[in-house]
Amino acid sequence: MRDFLLPIMTIAWKDVLLELRTKDVVTSVLMFALLAMVTFNFAFDPSPAVIALVAPGILWVAFTFAGILGFNRSFTLEKENGSLDGLLLCPVSRDVIYFGKLLGVFTFMLVMEAVLLPFFAVLYNLPVLDLKLLLLAALATLGFAGVGTLFSAMAVNTRSREIMLPVLLLPVASPVVIAAVESTRAILEGAPWGEIGRWWGLLIAFDMIFLIVSSFVFGSTLEE
Amino acid sequence: MTTRPLQAAAAQRAGLADSATVRMTLLALSAAMMFADLALIFLWAPTEQVMGVVQRIFYFHVPEAWVGFLAFGVVFIASIGYLVTGKRKWDVAGHSAAEIGVLFTTLMLITGSIWAKPVWGVWWTWDPRLTTSLILWLLYVGYLMLRAYAPTPAKAARYSAIMGVIGFIDVPIVYFSVVWWRNIHPELIIGPAAPRDALDPRMLVTLIFSVFTFTVLFVYLLWERMSLRNAEDEVKALRQGE
């Protein structure tokens, strides 16, 4: 177990450390997500009734697009500096590399969401700092990052790579977006557990299925 | 020494002759069935009482949906085959089936819209089946784009095989999520949506025949596309050999 977890943590820590030193992606992605939230405000009438209806959607669209920017960077950096070859030379299996990269972007997205949620709460005047909502964000982000990591490893090698990732990821992750938006709405409305629970079931199923399948097929993306 | 290339050439000619026979048989069969199908649809099947003549689009719409799913099922199996064995034939099959699947899913979405407009009063509603079909279409357009933008043919094959697996597994999850999503926001009933009673036997026979016809058409198209893809690869190999 230790042999499996330690390399994963090391690869993820490498990405986190790189980000801590440069702060390239965090700054730009946070600004982008903030601007998305502000821009949506102009698209909809910001009255309390309308806000209650559209706010969950705004939140998750901002997270989704910000996440895509972050995933794109995750493998672009590896490719630009040829460090992917170094990663491949590590004496670890390919699924360890997958889980390491996944843990890196997952951490990145969680940090980004933790910073954005208070802004969202203030801008839209909503009580979003709720334990259930934080758990939900973690579940949805895990599934999203799970397929996102797999697809960004492929998209980074294609022509027009910036557009390739959302084209692949958004349809595949549509259940995550639907489940996240619907259960955010239910939580904000104070709905009972029964209504939230099935969305969580869906998210857990999505996370498990795609983490397992992605870790199996990830090795094929790295072969020359 | 000289007999070996000659034998190879003869074997290749025999192979070509075989494939020509299969091709002509499939073409003749699907053409004959298609004419019979058209006759059944437009001359034999009764006109639906509520929806009128437009309901006959049903005999195209349902088989197109079926061929779309069938094609993506073939993509799924071929993708697993490619990822496990790495053999080119699996990639050829998956690629060809994906193109045909996208074609038939596109036709399904278009005929569905044409049918929905007079019957429901709108071109589109976010009904679970419609939404799932649209996402299905988007998934496999993404598959074809990934192939087109991949840096090398080997990467195109591997990447698209991965997408072929992920996409197909995703479809039932998408369907469940969309069903629950629509249950929370009840749909407005627009236009005289006809109740789904038991089909007239003649309608049922026509539908079943139409599904068989489109399946034969699919097999024929798949055969053609795969041999075209093989020819494309041969031309590429010859060019590189120059």
Side-chain angles (χ1 to χ4, degrees), chain B residues 87-98:
Chain B
K87 291 226 168 77
R88 201 187 66 94
K89 62 175 183 185
W90 290 114
D91 178 50
V92 173
H95 179 198
S96 308

Side-chain angles (χ1 to χ4, degrees), chain B residues 99-166:
Chain B
E99 280 190 1
I100 298 167
V102 168
L103 170 69
F104 277 87
T105 316
T106 311
L107 289 173
M108 179 218 358
L109 290 170
I110 293 171
T111 51
S113 277
I114 295 172
W115 190 13
K117 183 62 180 165
V119 176
W120 292 340
V122 287
W123 294 107
W124 184 265
T125 81
W126 292 97
D127 158 274
R129 258 179 300 178
L130 272 69
T131 312
T132 309
S133 309
L134 183 62
I135 291 175
L136 186 71
W137 185 81
L138 289 168
L139 282 169
Y140 286 90
V141 170
Y143 172 101
L144 293 179
M145 280 181 72
L146 186 60
R147 288 197 76 94
Y149 290 156
T152 62
K155 283 211 168 95
R158 268 202 306 275
Y159 289 2
S160 62
I162 290 174
M163 189 62 193
V165 172
I166 299 274

